[in-house]
mmCIF file of all heavy atoms in Angstrom:
data_model
loop_
_atom_site.group_PDB
_atom_site.id
_atom_site.type_symbol
_atom_site.label_atom_id
_atom_site.label_comp_id
_atom_site.label_asym_id
_atom_site.label_seq_id
_atom_site.Cartn_x
_atom_site.Cartn_y
_atom_site.Cartn_z
ATOM 1 N N ILE I 28 17.520 -2.741 -6.244
ATOM 2 C CA ILE I 28 17.120 -1.678 -5.326
ATOM 3 C C ILE I 28 18.309 -1.243 -4.484
ATOM 4 O O ILE I 28 18.946 -2.079 -3.850
ATOM 5 C CB ILE I 28 15.985 -2.162 -4.399
ATOM 6 C CG1 ILE I 28 14.750 -2.552 -5.210
ATOM 7 C CG2 ILE I 28 15.640 -1.094 -3.366
ATOM 8 C CD1 ILE I 28 13.688 -3.265 -4.403
ATOM 9 N N ILE I 29 18.568 0.055 -4.483
ATOM 10 C CA ILE I 29 19.583 0.579 -3.578
ATOM 11 C C ILE I 29 18.926 0.921 -2.244
ATOM 12 O O ILE I 29 19.415 0.547 -1.182
ATOM 13 C CB ILE I 29 20.282 1.824 -4.167
ATOM 14 C CG1 ILE I 29 21.076 1.434 -5.417
ATOM 15 C CG2 ILE I 29 21.179 2.478 -3.124
ATOM 16 C CD1 ILE I 29 21.716 2.612 -6.122
ATOM 17 N N SER I 30 17.834 1.638 -2.329
ATOM 18 C CA SER I 30 17.084 1.987 -1.128
ATOM 19 C C SER I 30 15.677 2.381 -1.543
ATOM 20 O O SER I 30 15.390 2.597 -2.717
ATOM 21 C CB SER I 30 17.745 3.137 -0.355
ATOM 22 O OG SER I 30 17.755 4.312 -1.132
ATOM 23 N N ILE I 31 14.790 2.460 -0.544
ATOM 24 C CA ILE I 31 13.409 2.872 -0.778
ATOM 25 C C ILE I 31 13.099 4.036 0.148
ATOM 26 O O ILE I 31 13.345 3.951 1.356
ATOM 27 C CB ILE I 31 12.419 1.724 -0.543
ATOM 28 C CG1 ILE I 31 12.727 0.559 -1.490
ATOM 29 C CG2 ILE I 31 10.986 2.210 -0.759
ATOM 30 C CD1 ILE I 31 11.826 -0.648 -1.300
ATOM 31 N N SER I 32 12.577 5.085 -0.418
ATOM 32 C CA SER I 32 12.184 6.243 0.375
ATOM 33 C C SER I 32 10.757 6.029 0.872
ATOM 34 O O SER I 32 10.490 5.074 1.584
ATOM 35 C CB SER I 32 12.320 7.511 -0.458
ATOM 36 O OG SER I 32 11.920 8.638 0.262
ATOM 37 N N ASP I 33 9.842 6.877 0.511
ATOM 38 C CA ASP I 33 8.456 6.728 0.966
ATOM 39 C C ASP I 33 7.780 5.525 0.332
ATOM 40 O O ASP I 33 8.035 5.194 -0.830
ATOM 41 C CB ASP I 33 7.649 7.980 0.633
ATOM 42 C CG ASP I 33 8.081 9.180 1.445
ATOM 43 O OD1 ASP I 33 8.949 9.033 2.328
ATOM 44 O OD2 ASP I 33 7.557 10.278 1.182
ATOM 45 N N MET I 34 6.925 4.879 1.110
ATOM 46 C CA MET I 34 6.066 3.810 0.605
ATOM 47 C C MET I 34 4.639 4.153 0.988
ATOM 48 O O MET I 34 4.410 4.931 1.930
ATOM 49 C CB MET I 34 6.456 2.449 1.199
ATOM 50 C CG MET I 34 7.876 2.035 0.926
ATOM 51 S SD MET I 34 8.274 0.386 1.551
ATOM 52 C CE MET I 34 7.575 -0.650 0.253
ATOM 53 N N GLY I 35 3.692 3.575 0.269
ATOM 54 C CA GLY I 35 2.320 3.910 0.592
ATOM 55 C C GLY I 35 1.315 2.935 0.020
ATOM 56 O O GLY I 35 1.665 2.041 -0.765
ATOM 57 N N GLY I 49 -2.664 5.835 2.785
ATOM 58 C CA GLY I 49 -1.690 6.291 3.747
ATOM 59 C C GLY I 49 -0.283 6.069 3.246
ATOM 60 O O GLY I 49 -0.064 5.318 2.288
ATOM 61 N N THR I 50 0.659 6.751 3.881
ATOM 62 C CA THR I 50 2.055 6.628 3.500
ATOM 63 C C THR I 50 2.926 6.422 4.728
ATOM 64 O O THR I 50 2.505 6.700 5.855
ATOM 65 C CB THR I 50 2.553 7.878 2.761
ATOM 66 O OG1 THR I 50 2.399 9.021 3.624
ATOM 67 C CG2 THR I 50 1.770 8.106 1.468
ATOM 68 N N ILE I 51 4.147 5.954 4.480
ATOM 69 C CA ILE I 51 5.108 5.778 5.562
ATOM 70 C C ILE I 51 6.489 6.109 5.026
ATOM 71 O O ILE I 51 6.864 5.676 3.934
ATOM 72 C CB ILE I 51 5.047 4.349 6.150
ATOM 73 C CG1 ILE I 51 5.987 4.209 7.349
ATOM 74 C CG2 ILE I 51 5.334 3.290 5.084
ATOM 75 C CD1 ILE I 51 5.741 2.937 8.158
ATOM 76 N N THR I 52 7.240 6.895 5.781
ATOM 77 C CA THR I 52 8.592 7.238 5.375
ATOM 78 C C THR I 52 9.557 6.127 5.769
ATOM 79 O O THR I 52 9.201 5.208 6.510
ATOM 80 C CB THR I 52 9.040 8.547 6.045
ATOM 81 O OG1 THR I 52 9.172 8.324 7.455
ATOM 82 C CG2 THR I 52 8.029 9.668 5.808
ATOM 83 N N SER I 53 10.793 6.247 5.314
ATOM 84 C CA SER I 53 11.798 5.243 5.679
ATOM 85 C C SER I 53 12.077 5.268 7.180
ATOM 86 O O SER I 53 12.497 4.261 7.743
ATOM 87 C CB SER I 53 13.084 5.478 4.895
ATOM 88 O OG SER I 53 13.577 6.786 5.125
ATOM 89 N N GLY I 54 11.802 6.395 7.799
ATOM 90 C CA GLY I 54 11.988 6.506 9.244
ATOM 91 C C GLY I 54 10.801 6.042 10.057
ATOM 92 O O GLY I 54 10.863 6.025 11.297
ATOM 93 N N GLY I 55 9.712 5.702 9.365
ATOM 94 C CA GLY I 55 8.545 5.166 10.061
ATOM 95 C C GLY I 55 7.438 6.156 10.343
ATOM 96 O O GLY I 55 6.433 5.799 10.970
ATOM 97 N N SER I 56 7.561 7.382 9.878
ATOM 98 C CA SER I 56 6.488 8.357 10.073
ATOM 99 C C SER I 56 5.344 8.047 9.127
ATOM 100 O O SER I 56 5.569 7.793 7.939
ATOM 101 C CB SER I 56 6.999 9.771 9.825
ATOM 102 O OG SER I 56 7.985 10.112 10.770
ATOM 103 N N THR I 57 4.129 8.093 9.652
ATOM 104 C CA THR I 57 2.961 7.722 8.854
ATOM 105 C C THR I 57 2.004 8.888 8.668
ATOM 106 O O THR I 57 1.976 9.840 9.457
ATOM 107 C CB THR I 57 2.200 6.564 9.511
ATOM 108 O OG1 THR I 57 1.888 6.918 10.864
ATOM 109 C CG2 THR I 57 3.018 5.288 9.486
ATOM 110 N N ASN I 58 1.206 8.766 7.617
ATOM 111 C CA ASN I 58 0.181 9.749 7.300
ATOM 112 C C ASN I 58 -0.996 8.974 6.730
ATOM 113 O O ASN I 58 -0.804 8.076 5.900
ATOM 114 C CB ASN I 58 0.709 10.743 6.264
ATOM 115 C CG ASN I 58 -0.337 11.735 5.839
ATOM 116 O OD1 ASN I 58 -0.863 12.487 6.637
ATOM 117 N ND2 ASN I 58 -0.650 11.736 4.549
ATOM 118 N N ILE I 69 -0.270 1.331 8.940
ATOM 119 C CA ILE I 69 0.775 0.994 7.980
ATOM 120 C C ILE I 69 2.085 0.793 8.726
ATOM 121 O O ILE I 69 2.441 1.583 9.613
ATOM 122 C CB ILE I 69 0.937 2.106 6.922
ATOM 123 C CG1 ILE I 69 -0.332 2.213 6.071
ATOM 124 C CG2 ILE I 69 2.145 1.824 6.027
ATOM 125 C CD1 ILE I 69 -0.317 3.372 5.093
ATOM 126 N N SER I 70 2.807 -0.257 8.348
ATOM 127 C CA SER I 70 4.132 -0.502 8.903
ATOM 128 C C SER I 70 5.042 -0.990 7.780
ATOM 129 O O SER I 70 4.566 -1.364 6.701
ATOM 130 C CB SER I 70 4.064 -1.539 10.029
ATOM 131 O OG SER I 70 3.533 -2.760 9.551
ATOM 132 N N ARG I 71 6.337 -0.975 8.033
ATOM 133 C CA ARG I 71 7.276 -1.432 7.007
ATOM 134 C C ARG I 71 8.490 -2.073 7.664
ATOM 135 O O ARG I 71 8.807 -1.798 8.819
ATOM 136 C CB ARG I 71 7.695 -0.294 6.086
ATOM 137 C CG ARG I 71 8.494 0.797 6.727
ATOM 138 C CD ARG I 71 8.709 1.967 5.783
ATOM 139 N NE ARG I 71 9.781 1.718 4.821
ATOM 140 C CZ ARG I 71 10.115 2.590 3.869
ATOM 141 N NH1 ARG I 71 9.449 3.730 3.749
ATOM 142 N NH2 ARG I 71 11.117 2.301 3.028
ATOM 143 N N ASP I 72 9.135 -2.921 6.874
ATOM 144 C CA ASP I 72 10.385 -3.549 7.285
ATOM 145 C C ASP I 72 11.427 -3.146 6.254
ATOM 146 O O ASP I 72 11.413 -3.663 5.125
ATOM 147 C CB ASP I 72 10.219 -5.076 7.339
ATOM 148 C CG ASP I 72 11.457 -5.786 7.860
ATOM 149 O OD1 ASP I 72 12.574 -5.277 7.637
ATOM 150 O OD2 ASP I 72 11.307 -6.847 8.466
ATOM 151 N N ASN I 73 12.291 -2.214 6.608
ATOM 152 C CA ASN I 73 13.256 -1.704 5.635
ATOM 153 C C ASN I 73 14.255 -2.780 5.193
ATOM 154 O O ASN I 73 14.710 -2.775 4.052
ATOM 155 C CB ASN I 73 14.005 -0.512 6.230
ATOM 156 C CG ASN I 73 13.106 0.700 6.388
ATOM 157 O OD1 ASN I 73 12.144 0.881 5.645
ATOM 158 N ND2 ASN I 73 13.406 1.524 7.375
ATOM 159 N N ALA I 74 14.591 -3.691 6.076
ATOM 160 C CA ALA I 74 15.547 -4.739 5.728
ATOM 161 C C ALA I 74 14.982 -5.696 4.682
ATOM 162 O O ALA I 74 15.731 -6.243 3.863
ATOM 163 C CB ALA I 74 15.950 -5.510 6.971
ATOM 164 N N LYS I 75 13.663 -5.879 4.714
ATOM 165 C CA LYS I 75 13.021 -6.808 3.781
ATOM 166 C C LYS I 75 12.318 -6.096 2.641
ATOM 167 O O LYS I 75 11.727 -6.752 1.780
ATOM 168 C CB LYS I 75 12.021 -7.693 4.531
ATOM 169 C CG LYS I 75 12.659 -8.596 5.574
ATOM 170 C CD LYS I 75 11.608 -9.449 6.268
ATOM 171 C CE LYS I 75 12.247 -10.370 7.299
ATOM 172 N NZ LYS I 75 11.227 -11.201 7.998
ATOM 173 N N ASN I 76 12.361 -4.771 2.639
ATOM 174 C CA ASN I 76 11.684 -3.984 1.589
ATOM 175 C C ASN I 76 10.206 -4.341 1.493
ATOM 176 O O ASN I 76 9.669 -4.566 0.387
ATOM 177 C CB ASN I 76 12.370 -4.184 0.232
ATOM 178 C CG ASN I 76 13.739 -3.541 0.179
ATOM 179 O OD1 ASN I 76 13.999 -2.550 0.867
ATOM 180 N ND2 ASN I 76 14.617 -4.083 -0.636
ATOM 181 N N THR I 77 9.555 -4.408 2.630
ATOM 182 C CA THR I 77 8.127 -4.742 2.647
ATOM 183 C C THR I 77 7.325 -3.663 3.366
ATOM 184 O O THR I 77 7.842 -2.939 4.219
ATOM 185 C CB THR I 77 7.877 -6.091 3.345
ATOM 186 O OG1 THR I 77 8.398 -6.027 4.680
ATOM 187 C CG2 THR I 77 8.551 -7.227 2.592
ATOM 188 N N ILE I 78 6.065 -3.593 3.023
ATOM 189 C CA ILE I 78 5.121 -2.693 3.669
ATOM 190 C C ILE I 78 3.856 -3.494 3.950
ATOM 191 O O ILE I 78 3.460 -4.350 3.152
ATOM 192 C CB ILE I 78 4.829 -1.454 2.795
ATOM 193 C CG1 ILE I 78 3.874 -0.500 3.502
ATOM 194 C CG2 ILE I 78 4.321 -1.859 1.417
ATOM 195 C CD1 ILE I 78 3.631 0.805 2.735
ATOM 196 N N ASN I 96 2.721 1.379 -3.350
ATOM 197 C CA ASN I 96 3.548 2.291 -4.123
ATOM 198 C C ASN I 96 4.843 2.541 -3.360
ATOM 199 O O ASN I 96 4.830 2.578 -2.126
ATOM 200 C CB ASN I 96 2.787 3.605 -4.336
ATOM 201 C CG ASN I 96 3.656 4.709 -4.873
ATOM 202 O OD1 ASN I 96 4.176 5.517 -4.116
ATOM 203 N ND2 ASN I 96 3.820 4.746 -6.182
ATOM 204 N N ALA I 97 5.932 2.703 -4.097
ATOM 205 C CA ALA I 97 7.198 2.967 -3.434
ATOM 206 C C ALA I 97 8.080 3.849 -4.300
ATOM 207 O O ALA I 97 8.056 3.730 -5.537
ATOM 208 C CB ALA I 97 7.926 1.657 -3.139
ATOM 209 N N ALA I 98 8.837 4.705 -3.663
ATOM 210 C CA ALA I 98 9.846 5.517 -4.340
ATOM 211 C C ALA I 98 11.171 4.777 -4.176
ATOM 212 O O ALA I 98 11.740 4.751 -3.078
ATOM 213 C CB ALA I 98 9.920 6.906 -3.729
ATOM 214 N N VAL I 99 11.642 4.179 -5.259
ATOM 215 C CA VAL I 99 12.769 3.257 -5.220
ATOM 216 C C VAL I 99 13.983 3.860 -5.908
ATOM 217 O O VAL I 99 13.892 4.306 -7.063
ATOM 218 C CB VAL I 99 12.403 1.922 -5.907
ATOM 219 C CG1 VAL I 99 13.585 0.971 -5.882
ATOM 220 C CG2 VAL I 99 11.191 1.295 -5.238
ATOM 221 N N LEU I 100 15.097 3.865 -5.207
ATOM 222 C CA LEU I 100 16.361 4.319 -5.801
ATOM 223 C C LEU I 100 17.026 3.137 -6.485
ATOM 224 O O LEU I 100 17.338 2.125 -5.838
ATOM 225 C CB LEU I 100 17.282 4.892 -4.722
ATOM 226 C CG LEU I 100 18.639 5.421 -5.199
ATOM 227 C CD1 LEU I 100 18.440 6.568 -6.191
ATOM 228 C CD2 LEU I 100 19.500 5.861 -4.032
ATOM 229 N N TYR I 107 15.418 8.032 -8.364
ATOM 230 C CA TYR I 107 14.243 7.443 -7.736
ATOM 231 C C TYR I 107 13.164 7.187 -8.795
ATOM 232 O O TYR I 107 12.858 8.057 -9.611
ATOM 233 C CB TYR I 107 13.686 8.355 -6.653
ATOM 234 C CG TYR I 107 14.405 8.212 -5.333
ATOM 235 C CD1 TYR I 107 15.406 9.110 -4.968
ATOM 236 C CD2 TYR I 107 14.088 7.172 -4.452
ATOM 237 C CE1 TYR I 107 16.069 8.967 -3.759
ATOM 238 C CE2 TYR I 107 14.751 7.031 -3.246
ATOM 239 C CZ TYR I 107 15.745 7.926 -2.905
ATOM 240 O OH TYR I 107 16.399 7.787 -1.717
#
Side-chain angles (χ1 to χ4, degrees):
I28 299 170
I29 295 176
S30 63
I31 300 178
S32 179
D33 291 356
M34 301 184 80
T50 60
I51 184 167
T52 68
S53 57
S56 296
T57 54
N58 177 60
I69 295 174
S70 59
R71 66 187 281 178
D72 184 329
N73 291 332
K75 296 180 179 179
N76 290 332
T77 58
I78 182 175
N96 168 265
V99 179
L100 181 61
Y107 277 98

